[in-house]
Amino acid sequence: MFATTPNFEIRYPCAGDTIDCDTFANFTNDIQAALDAVAVSETAALNRPNAKITENGAQTIAFNTTTDIQFHIEEYDNNGMADLAVNNERLTIQTAGIYMAEAYMSGNSSFTTVSSQAIALSQNGTIRYRKKDSNRSNLTSSIHVVGLFNCLVGDVLRAVYLWTGSGGPEGVFSCEFQARLVSLPD
Amino acid sequence: MLFTPLQNLPCLSNEDYSAWALYMKCLGLQVDETLAQQMASFESVRNRPTAVWTSSSVQTNIFDGSFLSVFEVAFSANWPGAVPTSPTVGNLRGWWMVGLNVNLISSGAVTINTYRRIDLTISPPIGAPSSTPETVFTDNTWESNTANGENLLAAGTLYTTGSDSPSNSAGGAIFTAVHHNNAVSLNTTLTPAPTIWATYLGDTPEIQAVS
């Protein structure tokens, strides 16, 4: 009676079994299958879903108007989350799990008066994380936000910006937006 | 039966060179166990212990030096043991990334140009050498007279030694102290809700290998 190992079901002979060429072939092929499975797992571990998109000046934002930041440069994307030709203001989740998303915004406000600025991360239109400052005035400013999201396939993550003050519009001097998988669904 | 020194793989010796069945059993089981450990290690890389706590009720009367205290588990993954209902760094040795995001708004008229500050503090576990909570991250800003509140965000990495070697931050609870010099107390808002999170990055050797 041939037996199998507990995890990868590698077949091996027991006492009394006849050992022939097929026995060795099965044994070798089962080990090969186990190695292939581990290689798949290794590839997945080294290529966790991860995307980063950036912007460097093409967008202007009016004061007191909550605005999705638009991006025109795909730095990297190994899971099809960014499709800037179709929707340039989002990352769309393709693999369910918990994601760490992060956005950075540096505005060009040298010709306007800024009394506050805020950057937020939204999931399907609902703001989950937000960072706001009111302590800068008429200065080129930068602001950063980071947080974790429990995402399903198709969920949309966006970076959202709002400033208050007068004049403008404020230019997007540089902006970065990224998301990466940190955990699989429970 | 002889065994290789590192992976403990068997090979036949002069005494048992005809024991093919035993040889294949030993080799198969050892290969199976080794590959299973490797696969588990790879799976752990993309399934980090992670938990997020949030608050579903507005917290009020936050005076200078108060702690935010009303949190519940929002979601989690692969946490070591049951996820505590209060924010906590998991009891695993290694590096954790933790964060706090909260919107603080004055309960009355804003005292113009007063500061707002949050301290993300990790308390030691019971029996640790020090009983003093350790502040690991801080964020601060100023509230002007816009009266719309300020969103603060503190995030960063910290190292814990786990239960095998107690330290100030091994498996400790996460507290959030609020400091301000507004004339009246502050409230939180639910847009967005106060959120605390912790995700395991890995043990020291893995961090070194990646960098």
Coordinates of all heavy atoms in Angstrom, one line a residue, chain A residues 5-10 12-14 19 23-24 27 31 34-35 37-38 41-42 44-45 48 98 100 115 127-135 144-150 181-184 186, chain B residues 20-21 24-25 27-29 31-33 35-36 38-39 42-43 45-52 75-78 97 101 139-142 144 146 148-153 155 192 195 197 199:
Chain A
T5 N 2.9 11.8 1.5 CA 3.4 12.8 2.5 C 2.2 13.7 2.9 O 1.3 13.9 2.0 CB 4.6 13.6 2.1 OG1 4.2 14.3 0.9 CG2 5.7 12.7 1.7
P6 N 2.2 14.3 4.0 CA 1.0 15.1 4.5 C 0.7 16.4 3.8 O -0.4 16.8 3.7 CB 1.3 15.3 6.0 CG 2.8 15.3 6.1 CD 3.3 14.3 5.1
N7 N 1.7 17.0 3.3 CA 1.5 18.4 2.7 C 1.3 18.4 1.2 O 0.4 18.9 0.6 CB 2.6 19.3 3.1 CG 2.6 19.5 4.6 OD1 1.7 20.0 5.2 ND2 3.8 19.2 5.2
F8 N 2.3 17.7 0.5 CA 2.3 17.8 -1.0 C 2.0 16.4 -1.6 O 2.0 16.3 -2.8 CB 3.7 18.2 -1.4 CG 4.1 19.6 -1.0 CD1 4.8 19.9 0.1 CD2 3.6 20.7 -1.8 CE1 5.1 21.2 0.4 CE2 3.9 22.0 -1.4 CZ 4.7 22.3 -0.3
E9 N 1.6 15.5 -0.8 CA 1.1 14.2 -1.3 C 2.1 13.5 -2.2 O 1.8 13.1 -3.3 CB -0.2 14.3 -1.9 CG -1.3 14.8 -1.0 CD -2.7 14.9 -1.6 OE1 -2.8 15.0 -2.8 OE2 -3.7 14.9 -0.8
I10 N 3.4 13.5 -1.8 CA 4.4 12.8 -2.5 C 4.3 11.3 -2.2 O 4.3 10.9 -1.1 CB 5.8 13.3 -2.0 CG1 6.0 14.8 -2.3 CG2 6.9 12.5 -2.7 CD1 7.2 15.4 -1.6
Y12 N 5.2 7.5 -1.9 CA 6.3 6.6 -1.6 C 5.9 5.2 -1.2 O 4.8 5.0 -0.7 CB 7.2 7.3 -0.5 CG 6.5 7.4 0.9 CD1 6.4 6.4 1.8 CD2 5.9 8.6 1.2 CE1 5.8 6.5 3.0 CE2 5.3 8.8 2.4 CZ 5.2 7.8 3.3 OH 4.6 7.9 4.5
P13 N 6.8 4.2 -1.4 CA 6.4 2.8 -1.1 C 6.5 2.5 0.3 O 7.3 3.1 1.1 CB 7.3 2.0 -2.0 CG 8.5 2.9 -2.0 CD 8.1 4.3 -2.1
C14 N 5.7 1.5 0.8 CA 5.8 1.0 2.1 C 6.3 -0.4 2.1 O 6.4 -1.0 1.0 CB 4.4 1.1 2.8 SG 3.8 2.7 3.0
I19 N 8.5 -2.2 -6.0 CA 9.1 -1.0 -6.5 C 9.6 -1.2 -7.9 O 10.3 -2.1 -8.2 CB 10.4 -0.6 -5.6 CG1 9.9 -0.4 -4.1 CG2 11.1 0.6 -6.2 CD1 11.1 -0.1 -3.2
T23 N 7.3 3.6 -9.8 CA 7.5 4.1 -8.4 C 8.4 5.3 -8.3 O 8.1 6.3 -7.7 CB 8.0 3.0 -7.5 OG1 7.1 1.8 -7.6 CG2 8.0 3.4 -6.1
F24 N 9.5 5.2 -9.0 CA 10.5 6.3 -9.0 C 10.0 7.5 -9.8 O 10.2 8.6 -9.4 CB 11.9 5.8 -9.6 CG 12.6 4.8 -8.7 CD1 12.6 3.5 -8.9 CD2 13.3 5.3 -7.6 CE1 13.3 2.6 -8.0 CE2 14.0 4.5 -6.7 CZ 13.9 3.1 -6.9
F27 N 7.4 9.3 -7.7 CA 8.1 9.9 -6.6 C 8.8 11.2 -7.2 O 8.6 12.3 -6.6 CB 9.2 9.0 -6.1 CG 9.9 9.5 -4.8 CD1 9.2 9.6 -3.6 CD2 11.2 9.9 -4.9 CE1 9.9 10.1 -2.5 CE2 11.9 10.4 -3.8 CZ 11.2 10.5 -2.6
I31 N 7.6 15.2 -6.4 CA 8.6 16.2 -5.8 C 8.6 17.4 -6.8 O 8.6 18.6 -6.3 CB 10.0 15.6 -5.6 CG1 9.9 14.6 -4.5 CG2 11.0 16.7 -5.4 CD1 11.3 13.9 -4.2
A34 N 5.7 19.6 -6.1 CA 5.8 20.3 -4.9 C 6.7 21.5 -5.1 O 6.5 22.6 -4.6 CB 6.4 19.4 -3.8
L35 N 7.8 21.3 -5.8 CA 8.7 22.4 -6.1 C 8.0 23.5 -6.9 O 8.2 24.7 -6.7 CB 10.0 21.9 -6.8 CG 11.0 21.1 -6.0 CD1 12.0 20.4 -6.9 CD2 11.6 21.9 -4.9
A37 N 4.9 24.2 -6.9 CA 3.9 24.9 -6.0 C 4.6 25.9 -5.1 O 4.2 27.1 -4.9 CB 3.2 23.9 -5.1
V38 N 5.8 25.6 -4.6 CA 6.6 26.5 -3.8 C 7.1 27.7 -4.7 O 7.1 28.8 -4.2 CB 7.8 25.8 -3.1 CG1 8.7 26.8 -2.4 CG2 7.2 24.7 -2.1
S41 N 4.3 30.1 -5.0 CA 4.2 30.9 -3.7 C 5.3 31.9 -3.6 O 5.1 33.1 -3.2 CB 4.2 29.9 -2.6 OG 4.0 30.6 -1.3
E42 N 6.5 31.5 -4.0 CA 7.6 32.5 -3.9 C 7.4 33.7 -4.8 O 7.6 34.8 -4.5 CB 8.9 31.8 -4.3 CG 10.1 32.7 -4.3 CD 11.4 32.0 -4.8 OE1 11.3 31.0 -5.5 OE2 12.5 32.5 -4.5
A44 N 4.6 34.8 -5.9 CA 3.5 35.7 -5.3 C 4.0 36.5 -4.1 O 3.6 37.7 -4.0 CB 2.3 34.8 -4.8
A45 N 4.9 36.0 -3.3 CA 5.5 36.7 -2.2 C 6.3 37.9 -2.7 O 6.4 38.9 -2.1 CB 6.3 35.8 -1.3
R48 N 3.9 41.1 -4.6 CA 2.7 41.5 -4.0 C 2.1 42.6 -4.8 O 2.8 43.5 -5.2 CB 2.9 41.8 -2.5 CG 3.1 40.7 -1.6 CD 3.7 41.1 -0.3 NE 5.2 41.4 -0.5 CZ 5.9 42.0 0.4 NH1 5.4 42.4 1.5 NH2 7.2 42.1 0.1
I98 N -6.0 43.5 2.5 CA -5.7 44.7 3.2 C -4.6 45.4 2.5 O -3.5 44.9 2.3 CB -5.5 44.4 4.7 CG1 -6.7 43.8 5.3 CG2 -5.1 45.7 5.4 CD1 -6.5 43.4 6.8
M100 N -2.1 49.0 2.2 CA -1.6 50.3 2.7 C -1.6 51.3 1.5 O -0.9 51.0 0.6 CB -0.3 50.1 3.3 CG 0.3 51.4 3.9 SD 1.8 51.2 4.8 CE 1.2 50.4 6.3
S115 N -5.2 79.2 3.6 CA -5.4 79.2 5.1 C -5.5 77.8 5.6 O -5.3 77.6 6.8 CB -6.7 80.0 5.4 OG -7.8 79.4 4.7
I127 N -14.3 59.0 2.4 CA -13.0 59.3 3.0 C -12.7 58.6 4.3 O -13.5 58.6 5.2 CB -12.9 60.9 3.2 CG1 -12.8 61.6 1.9 CG2 -11.7 61.2 4.1 CD1 -12.8 63.1 2.0
R128 N -11.6 57.8 4.3 CA -11.2 57.0 5.4 C -10.1 57.6 6.3 O -10.1 57.4 7.5 CB -10.7 55.6 4.9 CG -11.7 54.9 4.1 CD -12.9 54.4 4.8 NE -13.7 53.5 4.0 CZ -14.9 53.1 4.3 NH1 -15.5 53.6 5.4 NH2 -15.6 52.3 3.5
Y129 N -9.2 58.3 5.6 CA -8.0 58.9 6.3 C -7.9 60.3 5.8 O -8.0 60.6 4.6 CB -6.7 58.1 6.1 CG -6.8 56.7 6.6 CD1 -7.2 55.7 5.8 CD2 -6.5 56.4 8.0 CE1 -7.3 54.4 6.3 CE2 -6.6 55.1 8.4 CZ -7.0 54.1 7.6 OH -7.1 52.8 8.0
R130 N -7.5 61.2 6.7 CA -7.3 62.6 6.3 C -6.3 63.3 7.1 O -6.2 63.1 8.3 CB -8.7 63.3 6.4 CG -8.8 64.7 5.8 CD -10.2 65.1 5.8 NE -10.5 66.4 5.1 CZ -10.7 67.5 5.6 NH1 -10.7 67.7 6.9 NH2 -11.0 68.6 4.9
K131 N -5.5 64.2 6.5 CA -4.5 65.0 7.2 C -4.8 66.4 6.8 O -4.8 66.7 5.6 CB -3.1 64.6 6.8 CG -2.0 65.5 7.3 CD -1.9 65.7 8.8 CE -0.8 66.7 9.1 NZ -0.9 67.0 10.6
K132 N -4.9 67.3 7.8 CA -5.2 68.7 7.5 C -4.4 69.6 8.3 O -4.1 69.3 9.5 CB -6.7 69.0 7.8 CG -7.1 70.5 7.5 CD -8.5 70.8 8.1 CE -8.8 72.2 8.0 NZ -9.7 72.7 9.0
D133 N -3.9 70.7 7.7 CA -3.1 71.7 8.4 C -3.8 73.1 8.1 O -4.2 73.3 7.0 CB -1.7 71.7 7.9 CG -0.8 70.7 8.6 OD1 -1.2 70.3 9.7 OD2 0.2 70.3 8.0
S134 N -3.7 73.9 9.2 CA -4.2 75.3 9.0 C -3.1 76.3 9.3 O -3.4 77.5 9.4 CB -5.4 75.6 9.9 OG -6.5 74.7 9.6
N135 N -1.9 75.8 9.5 CA -0.9 76.7 10.0 C 0.1 77.2 8.9 O 1.1 77.7 9.2 CB -0.1 75.9 11.1 CG 0.6 74.7 10.5 OD1 0.1 74.1 9.5 ND2 1.7 74.3 11.1
H144 N 0.9 64.9 3.6 CA 1.1 63.5 3.4 C 0.0 62.7 4.3 O -0.3 63.1 5.4 CB 2.5 63.0 3.9 CG 2.7 61.6 4.0 ND1 2.7 60.9 5.2 CD2 3.0 60.6 3.0 CE1 2.9 59.6 5.0 NE2 3.1 59.4 3.7
V145 N -0.5 61.6 3.7 CA -1.5 60.8 4.4 C -1.2 59.3 4.1 O -0.8 59.0 3.0 CB -2.9 61.2 4.1 CG1 -3.2 60.9 2.6 CG2 -4.0 60.6 5.0
V146 N -1.5 58.5 5.1 CA -1.3 57.0 5.0 C -2.3 56.3 5.8 O -2.7 56.8 6.9 CB 0.2 56.6 5.4 CG1 0.5 57.0 6.8 CG2 0.4 55.2 5.1
G147 N -2.7 55.1 5.3 CA -3.7 54.3 6.1 C -3.9 53.0 5.5 O -3.4 52.7 4.4
L148 N -4.6 52.1 6.2 CA -4.9 50.8 5.8 C -6.4 50.6 5.3 O -7.3 51.2 6.0 CB -4.6 49.8 6.9 CG -3.2 49.6 7.4 CD1 -3.1 48.6 8.5 CD2 -2.3 49.2 6.2
F149 N -6.6 49.9 4.3 CA -7.9 49.7 3.7 C -8.2 48.2 3.6 O -7.4 47.4 3.1 CB -8.0 50.3 2.3 CG -7.9 51.8 2.4 CD1 -6.7 52.4 2.4 CD2 -9.0 52.6 2.3 CE1 -6.5 53.8 2.5 CE2 -8.9 54.0 2.4 CZ -7.7 54.6 2.4
N150 N -9.4 47.8 3.9 CA -9.9 46.4 3.7 C -10.6 46.4 2.3 O -11.7 47.0 2.2 CB -10.8 46.0 4.8 CG -11.1 44.5 4.8 OD1 -10.3 43.7 4.2 ND2 -12.1 44.1 5.5
L181 N -0.4 45.7 -1.2 CA -1.0 44.6 -0.4 C -0.2 44.3 0.8 O 1.0 44.1 0.7 CB -1.3 43.4 -1.2 CG -1.9 42.2 -0.5 CD1 -3.4 42.4 -0.3 CD2 -1.7 40.9 -1.3
V182 N -0.8 44.3 2.0 CA 0.0 43.9 3.2 C -0.6 42.6 3.8 O 0.2 41.9 4.5 CB 0.0 45.0 4.3 CG1 0.7 46.3 3.7 CG2 -1.4 45.3 4.8
S183 N -1.8 42.3 3.6 CA -2.4 41.1 4.2 C -3.5 40.5 3.2 O -4.2 41.3 2.6 CB -3.0 41.3 5.5 OG -2.0 41.7 6.5
L184 N -3.7 39.2 3.3 CA -4.8 38.6 2.6 C -6.0 38.6 3.4 O -6.0 38.8 4.6 CB -4.4 37.2 2.2 CG -3.2 37.0 1.4 CD1 -2.7 35.5 1.2 CD2 -3.4 37.6 0.0
D186 N -9.1 37.7 5.8 CA -9.2 36.6 6.8 C -10.2 35.6 6.3 O -11.2 35.9 5.7 CB -9.7 37.3 8.1 CG -8.6 37.3 9.1 OD1 -7.5 36.8 8.8 OD2 -8.8 37.9 10.2
Chain B
W20 N 15.1 0.5 -0.3 CA 14.6 1.6 -1.2 C 13.3 2.2 -0.6 O 13.1 3.4 -0.7 CB 14.4 1.1 -2.6 CG 15.6 0.7 -3.3 CD1 16.2 -0.5 -3.5 CD2 16.6 1.6 -3.9 NE1 17.4 -0.5 -4.1 CE2 17.6 0.9 -4.4 CE3 16.6 3.0 -4.0 CZ2 18.7 1.4 -5.0 CZ3 17.7 3.6 -4.6 CH2 18.7 2.8 -5.1
A21 N 12.4 1.4 -0.2 CA 11.2 1.9 0.4 C 11.4 2.8 1.5 O 10.8 3.9 1.6 CB 10.3 0.7 0.8
M24 N 12.9 6.1 0.3 CA 12.0 7.0 -0.4 C 11.0 7.6 0.6 O 10.6 8.8 0.5 CB 11.2 6.3 -1.5 CG 12.1 5.8 -2.6 SD 11.3 4.8 -3.9 CE 10.4 6.0 -4.8
K25 N 10.6 6.9 1.6 CA 9.8 7.4 2.7 C 10.5 8.6 3.4 O 9.9 9.6 3.6 CB 9.4 6.3 3.7 CG 8.6 6.8 4.8 CD 8.3 5.7 5.8 CE 7.5 6.3 7.0 NZ 7.2 5.2 8.0
L27 N 13.1 10.3 2.5 CA 13.4 11.5 1.6 C 12.1 12.3 1.3 O 12.1 13.5 1.3 CB 14.0 11.0 0.3 CG 14.4 12.1 -0.7 CD1 15.3 13.1 -0.1 CD2 14.9 11.5 -2.0
G28 N 11.0 11.5 1.0 CA 9.7 12.2 0.7 C 9.2 13.0 1.8 O 8.8 14.2 1.7
L29 N 9.3 12.5 3.1 CA 8.8 13.2 4.2 C 9.7 14.4 4.5 O 9.2 15.5 4.9 CB 8.8 12.3 5.4 CG 7.7 11.2 5.4 CD1 7.8 10.2 6.6 CD2 6.3 11.8 5.4
V31 N 11.6 16.1 2.3 CA 11.3 17.1 1.3 C 10.0 17.8 1.5 O 9.9 19.0 1.4 CB 11.4 16.5 -0.1 CG1 10.8 17.4 -1.2 CG2 12.8 16.0 -0.5
D32 N 9.0 17.0 1.9 CA 7.7 17.6 2.2 C 7.7 18.6 3.3 O 7.1 19.7 3.2 CB 6.7 16.4 2.5 CG 5.3 16.8 2.7 OD1 5.0 17.2 3.8 OD2 4.5 16.8 1.7
E33 N 8.3 18.2 4.4 CA 8.4 19.1 5.5 C 9.2 20.4 5.2 O 8.7 21.5 5.5 CB 9.1 18.4 6.7 CG 9.1 19.3 8.0 CD 9.9 18.6 9.1 OE1 10.0 17.3 9.0 OE2 10.3 19.3 10.1
L35 N 9.7 21.8 2.2 CA 9.0 22.7 1.3 C 7.8 23.3 1.9 O 7.5 24.5 1.6 CB 8.6 21.9 0.1 CG 9.8 21.4 -0.8 CD1 9.2 20.7 -2.1 CD2 10.6 22.6 -1.3
A36 N 7.2 22.6 2.8 CA 6.0 23.2 3.5 C 6.4 24.4 4.4 O 5.7 25.4 4.4 CB 5.3 22.1 4.4
Q38 N 9.0 26.3 3.7 CA 9.3 27.4 2.8 C 8.1 28.0 2.3 O 8.0 29.3 2.2 CB 10.2 26.8 1.6 CG 11.6 26.5 2.0 CD 12.4 26.0 0.8 OE1 12.0 26.2 -0.3 NE2 13.6 25.5 1.1
M39 N 7.1 27.2 2.0 CA 5.8 27.8 1.5 C 5.1 28.7 2.5 O 4.6 29.7 2.2 CB 4.9 26.7 1.0 CG 3.6 27.2 0.4 SD 2.6 25.9 -0.4 CE 3.2 26.0 -2.0
F42 N 6.9 32.0 2.6 CA 6.5 32.8 1.5 C 5.0 33.4 1.7 O 4.8 34.5 1.5 CB 6.5 32.0 0.2 CG 7.9 31.8 -0.3 CD1 8.3 30.5 -0.7 CD2 8.9 32.7 -0.2 CE1 9.6 30.2 -1.1 CE2 10.2 32.5 -0.7 CZ 10.5 31.2 -1.1
E43 N 4.1 32.5 2.2 CA 2.8 33.0 2.4 C 2.7 34.1 3.5 O 1.9 35.0 3.4 CB 1.9 31.8 2.8 CG 1.6 30.8 1.7 CD 0.9 31.4 0.5 OE1 0.0 32.2 0.7 OE2 1.3 31.0 -0.6
V45 N 4.9 36.3 4.0 CA 5.3 37.6 3.5 C 4.2 38.4 2.9 O 4.1 39.6 3.1 CB 6.4 37.4 2.4 CG1 6.7 38.6 1.6 CG2 7.7 36.8 3.0
R46 N 3.2 37.8 2.3 CA 2.1 38.5 1.8 C 0.8 38.4 2.6 O -0.3 38.7 2.1 CB 1.8 38.1 0.3 CG 1.3 36.7 0.2 CD 1.1 36.4 -1.3 NE 0.5 35.1 -1.5 CZ -0.5 34.8 -2.3 NH1 -1.1 35.8 -2.9 NH2 -1.0 33.6 -2.4
N47 N 1.0 38.0 3.8 CA -0.2 37.9 4.8 C 0.3 38.4 6.1 O 0.3 37.6 7.1 CB -0.7 36.5 4.8 CG -2.1 36.5 5.4 OD1 -2.8 37.5 5.5 ND2 -2.5 35.3 5.8
R48 N 0.7 39.6 6.2 CA 1.2 40.2 7.5 C 0.1 40.3 8.5 O -1.0 40.8 8.2 CB 1.8 41.5 7.3 CG 3.0 41.5 6.3 CD 4.1 40.6 6.8 NE 5.3 40.8 6.1 CZ 6.4 40.0 6.2 NH1 6.3 39.0 7.0 NH2 7.5 40.2 5.5
P49 N 0.4 40.0 9.8 CA -0.6 40.2 10.9 C -0.9 41.7 10.9 O 0.0 42.6 10.9 CB 0.2 39.8 12.1 CG 1.1 38.8 11.6 CD 1.6 39.2 10.3
T50 N -2.2 42.0 10.8 CA -2.6 43.4 10.6 C -4.0 43.6 11.3 O -4.8 42.7 11.3 CB -2.8 43.7 9.1 OG1 -1.6 43.5 8.4 CG2 -3.3 45.1 8.9
A51 N -4.1 44.7 12.0 CA -5.4 45.0 12.6 C -5.7 46.5 12.5 O -4.7 47.3 12.6 CB -5.5 44.5 14.1
V52 N -6.9 46.8 12.4 CA -7.4 48.2 12.3 C -8.5 48.4 13.3 O -9.5 47.6 13.3 CB -7.8 48.6 10.9 CG1 -8.4 50.1 10.9 CG2 -6.7 48.5 9.9
F75 N -11.3 45.8 11.2 CA -11.0 44.6 10.4 C -9.6 44.1 10.8 O -8.8 44.9 11.4 CB -11.1 44.8 8.9 CG -10.4 45.9 8.4 CD1 -9.1 45.8 7.9 CD2 -10.9 47.2 8.3 CE1 -8.4 46.8 7.4 CE2 -10.2 48.3 7.7 CZ -8.9 48.1 7.3
S76 N -9.2 42.9 10.4 CA -7.9 42.3 10.8 C -7.6 41.2 9.9 O -8.5 40.7 9.1 CB -7.9 41.9 12.2 OG -8.8 40.7 12.4
A77 N -6.4 40.7 9.9 CA -5.9 39.6 9.1 C -4.7 38.9 9.8 O -3.8 39.6 10.2 CB -5.6 40.0 7.7
N78 N -4.8 37.6 9.9 CA -3.6 36.8 10.3 C -3.0 37.3 11.7 O -1.8 37.2 11.9 CB -2.6 36.8 9.2 CG -1.6 35.7 9.4 OD1 -1.9 34.6 9.9 ND2 -0.4 35.8 8.9
M97 N 4.6 48.5 11.8 CA 4.2 49.9 11.5 C 2.9 50.2 12.1 O 1.9 49.4 12.0 CB 4.1 50.1 9.9 CG 3.9 51.5 9.5 SD 4.2 51.7 7.8 CE 4.0 53.5 7.7
N101 N -5.0 58.2 13.0 CA -5.6 59.3 12.3 C -6.8 59.8 13.1 O -7.7 59.0 13.4 CB -5.9 58.9 10.9 CG -6.4 60.1 10.0 OD1 -7.1 59.9 9.0 ND2 -5.9 61.3 10.3
D139 N 2.3 63.9 16.2 CA 2.0 64.9 15.2 C 1.4 66.1 15.8 O 0.7 66.0 16.8 CB 1.0 64.2 14.2 CG 0.7 65.1 13.0 OD1 1.6 65.9 12.6 OD2 -0.4 65.1 12.4
N140 N 1.7 67.2 15.3 CA 1.1 68.5 15.8 C 0.8 69.5 14.7 O 1.5 69.4 13.7 CB 1.9 69.1 16.9 CG 3.3 69.5 16.4 OD1 3.3 70.5 15.7 ND2 4.3 68.9 16.7
T141 N -0.1 70.3 15.0 CA -0.5 71.4 14.0 C -1.1 72.5 14.8 O -1.2 72.5 16.0 CB -1.4 70.9 12.9 OG1 -1.5 71.9 11.9 CG2 -2.8 70.5 13.5
W142 N -1.5 73.5 14.1 CA -2.1 74.7 14.7 C -3.5 74.9 14.1 O -3.7 74.8 13.0 CB -1.3 76.0 14.5 CG 0.1 75.9 15.1 CD1 1.2 75.3 14.5 CD2 0.5 76.3 16.4 NE1 2.2 75.4 15.4 CE2 1.8 76.0 16.5 CE3 -0.2 77.0 17.4 CZ2 2.5 76.3 17.7 CZ3 0.5 77.3 18.5 CH2 1.8 77.0 18.7
S144 N -6.2 77.5 13.3 CA -6.4 78.9 13.1 C -7.8 79.3 13.5 O -8.4 78.6 14.3 CB -6.1 79.3 11.7 OG -7.0 78.7 10.8
T146 N -10.5 79.1 11.6 CA -11.4 78.5 10.7 C -12.5 77.7 11.3 O -13.5 77.5 10.8 CB -10.7 77.7 9.6 OG1 -10.0 76.6 10.3 CG2 -9.7 78.5 8.8
N148 N -12.9 74.6 11.7 CA -13.3 73.4 11.0 C -12.6 72.2 11.5 O -12.8 71.1 11.0 CB -13.0 73.5 9.5 CG -13.9 74.6 8.8 OD1 -15.1 74.7 9.2 ND2 -13.4 75.3 7.9
G149 N -11.8 72.3 12.5 CA -11.1 71.2 13.1 C -9.8 70.9 12.3 O -9.5 71.4 11.3
E150 N -9.0 70.1 13.0 CA -7.7 69.7 12.4 C -7.6 68.2 12.4 O -7.9 67.5 13.3 CB -6.5 70.2 13.2 CG -6.5 71.8 13.3 CD -6.2 72.4 11.9 OE1 -5.4 71.8 11.2 OE2 -6.9 73.4 11.7
N151 N -7.1 67.6 11.2 CA -6.9 66.2 11.1 C -5.4 65.9 11.4 O -4.6 66.4 10.7 CB -7.3 65.7 9.7 CG -8.7 65.9 9.4 OD1 -9.2 67.0 9.1 ND2 -9.5 64.8 9.5
L152 N -5.2 65.1 12.4 CA -3.8 64.8 12.7 C -3.5 63.3 12.4 O -4.4 62.4 12.4 CB -3.5 65.0 14.2 CG -3.6 66.5 14.6 CD1 -4.9 66.7 15.4 CD2 -2.4 66.9 15.4
L153 N -2.3 63.1 12.0 CA -1.9 61.7 11.6 C -0.5 61.4 12.0 O 0.5 62.2 11.7 CB -2.0 61.6 10.0 CG -1.8 60.2 9.5 CD1 -2.6 60.1 8.2 CD2 -0.4 59.9 9.2
A155 N 2.3 58.3 12.2 CA 2.6 56.9 11.7 C 4.1 56.7 11.7 O 4.8 57.6 11.4 CB 1.9 56.7 10.4
P192 N -13.4 61.6 8.8 CA -13.5 60.2 9.1 C -13.4 59.9 10.5 O -13.0 60.7 11.3 CB -12.2 59.7 8.3 CG -11.2 60.8 8.4 CD -12.1 62.1 8.4
T195 N -9.0 56.4 13.8 CA -8.5 55.1 13.4 C -7.1 54.9 13.9 O -6.3 55.7 13.8 CB -8.6 55.0 11.8 OG1 -9.9 55.3 11.4 CG2 -8.1 53.6 11.4
W197 N -4.1 51.8 13.6 CA -3.7 50.5 12.9 C -2.3 50.1 13.2 O -1.5 50.8 13.6 CB -3.9 50.7 11.4 CG -3.4 51.9 10.7 CD1 -4.0 53.1 10.5 CD2 -2.0 52.1 10.2 NE1 -3.2 54.0 9.9 CE2 -2.0 53.4 9.7 CE3 -0.9 51.3 10.2 CZ2 -0.8 53.9 9.1 CZ3 0.3 51.8 9.6 CH2 0.3 53.1 9.1
T199 N 0.5 47.0 11.6 CA 0.8 45.9 10.7 C 2.2 45.5 10.8 O 3.1 46.3 11.0 CB 0.4 46.3 9.2 OG1 0.6 45.2 8.4 CG2 1.3 47.4 8.8

